[in-house]
Amino acid sequence: MLLYGTQGGFARREGAPTWRGEIGLFAPAEMEAVRLPMGVRLPLPAQARYCRAGAEGAALTGAVKRGAGNFTFALWEGNLAVCDEGDFVKGVLDSLVGRALTAGEALCAVLAALLPPENEAVEALEARAEQLETEALTEAALTSNRFGGKLLGVRKQASALARYCAQLEDMFECLGDAAQEFDLAPAEARSLALSGERARRLREDALGLREYLLQIRELYQAQIGIRQNEIMKFLTVVTTIFLPLTLLAGWYGMNFTGMPELSWPWGYPLIILVSLVIVALCVWYFRRKRFL
């Protein structure tokens, strides 16, 4: 259990919370021993299914679902209670010690700290997408069965990031709507609005990245189609060239009375010459039509 006082500057303090301008940070296991004022309820982080916020009773409550640990919060009458599964909130609050902050400003700082990691995640996914775009044009990607899986994995990450940013955007919007009801300062309301705008831009960036990955997939499929067309063109050319030769050789080799190779010494040389002429004419024709 960690306590922070806002009276006379934001600082760590000892003792039980008096809930007069204080911030309490608790672990889920400590919530049974925490006594909150009447009408204030702090949900457990395990109950968080998505990022949300809104008025509940006499407090402004919310929950943030994170991959590294969820946390919930309740803000009322200049007090803030936070239940965190990890050390994220503790790290943010410790970095604020020594500054003149209210409980609302501390909450705004904690929520604003959610966005820089997501911005870095978007940049990392963009760099990965650029690598996949370059890789999609290589021979190794066309002959490998793993490129499609790698592309799908990055697309799933971009979609999950877009959904998370959309949840954050909705949460900040709800907090902004409740700012006047819970007497948040104008600076705190502006901070929430700015964080919501940043979340919106991150969501748009993540959606744009997903569209970019779809274009890479289309590029990869186009390269596969070109490769398959080249193979089919080669097989068509080979079949077209050698089919008449097969028919001619089959006709010449059939058994019938008066076979030329039995009575004429130039029979086989002539059929070989005719075969070469047919091949040359076919190659010339395909080159003229730019099939080869």
Side-chain angles (χ1 to χ4, degrees), residues 17 19 24 26 31 33-43 74 76 80-82:
W19 301 122
F26 313 102
M31 285 304 300
V34 177
R35 293 186 177 275
L36 297 174
M38 185 68 65
V40 177
R41 191 180 73 87
L42 181 62
W76 75 99
L80 176 64
V82 181

Side-chain angles (χ1 to χ4, degrees), residues 148-168:
K150 292 190 292 185
L151 184 60
L152 180 61
V154 178
R155 284 182 58 203
K156 287 182 177 180
Q157 294 179 31
S159 298
L161 183 59
R163 289 194 299 270
Y164 179 66
C165 292
Q167 293 178 16
L168 290 179

Side-chain angles (χ1 to χ4, degrees), residues 14 76 84 99 101 109 170 191 193 208 231 282:
E14 302 294 336
W76 75 99
D84 189 8
R99 299 171 56 183
L101 295 176
D170 292 340
S191 176
I231 295 175
C282 290

Side-chain angles (χ1 to χ4, degrees), residues 127-225:
R128 184 65 181 131
E130 291 176 357
Q131 294 177 358
L132 290 174
E133 182 181 19
T134 304
E135 186 178 350
L137 301 175
T138 62
E139 185 71 17
L142 298 178
T143 57
S144 174
N145 296 326
R146 296 185 299 176
F147 181 81
K150 292 190 292 185
L151 184 60
L152 180 61
V154 178
R155 284 182 58 203
K156 287 182 177 180
Q157 294 179 31
S159 298
L161 183 59
R163 289 194 299 270
Y164 179 66
C165 292
Q167 293 178 16
L168 290 179
E169 182 182 1
D170 292 340
M171 182 186 69
F172 284 118
E173 183 178 355
C174 293
L175 290 172
D177 293 340
Q180 185 175 1
E181 179 181 354
F182 287 89
D183 296 328
L184 295 183
E188 298 169 4
R190 286 195 301 270
S191 176
L192 293 174
L194 179 60
S195 296
E197 180 64 21
R198 292 174 60 193
R200 183 187 64 80
R201 290 197 300 266
L202 282 174
R203 177 179 60 83
E204 293 176 352
D205 290 344
L207 292 176
L209 178 60
R210 189 175 65 176
E211 295 298 324
Y212 178 35
L213 291 168
L214 289 175
Q215 294 176 5
I216 295 177
R217 186 187 67 174
E218 294 175 358
L219 174 64
Y220 175 65
Q221 292 177 342
Q223 293 298 316
I224 293 179

Side-chain angles (χ1 to χ4, degrees), residues 158-292:
S159 298
L161 183 59
R163 289 194 299 270
Y164 179 66
C165 292
Q167 293 178 16
L168 290 179
E169 182 182 1
D170 292 340
M171 182 186 69
F172 284 118
E173 183 178 355
C174 293
L175 290 172
D177 293 340
Q180 185 175 1
E181 179 181 354
F182 287 89
D183 296 328
L184 295 183
E188 298 169 4
R190 286 195 301 270
S191 176
L192 293 174
L194 179 60
S195 296
E197 180 64 21
R198 292 174 60 193
R200 183 187 64 80
R201 290 197 300 266
L202 282 174
R203 177 179 60 83
E204 293 176 352
D205 290 344
L207 292 176
L209 178 60
R210 189 175 65 176
E211 295 298 324
Y212 178 35
L213 291 168
L214 289 175
Q215 294 176 5
I216 295 177
R217 186 187 67 174
E218 294 175 358
L219 174 64
Y220 175 65
Q221 292 177 342
Q223 293 298 316
I224 293 179
I226 293 174
R227 182 182 178 86
Q228 292 175 344
N229 290 337
E230 291 177 351
I231 295 175
M232 293 303 299
K233 182 176 67 175
F234 174 77
L235 294 177
T236 302
V237 169
V238 171
T239 302
T240 305
I241 290 176
F242 288 97
L243 181 60
L245 296 180
T246 303
L247 296 175
L248 183 60
W251 170 80
Y252 185 73
M254 288 189 298
N255 296 322
F256 57 89
T257 303
M259 293 174 61
E261 65 270 22
L262 299 179
S263 58
W264 187 34
W266 297 100
Y268 277 112
L270 180 61
I271 198 62
I272 293 174
L273 178 61
V274 172
S275 299
L276 293 177
V277 171
I278 293 176
V279 171
L281 290 176
C282 290
V283 171
W284 171 81
Y285 175 78
F286 282 117
R287 284 189 178 277
R288 183 179 180 182
K289 295 295 184 180
R290 296 186 177 180
F291 294 158
L292 286 176

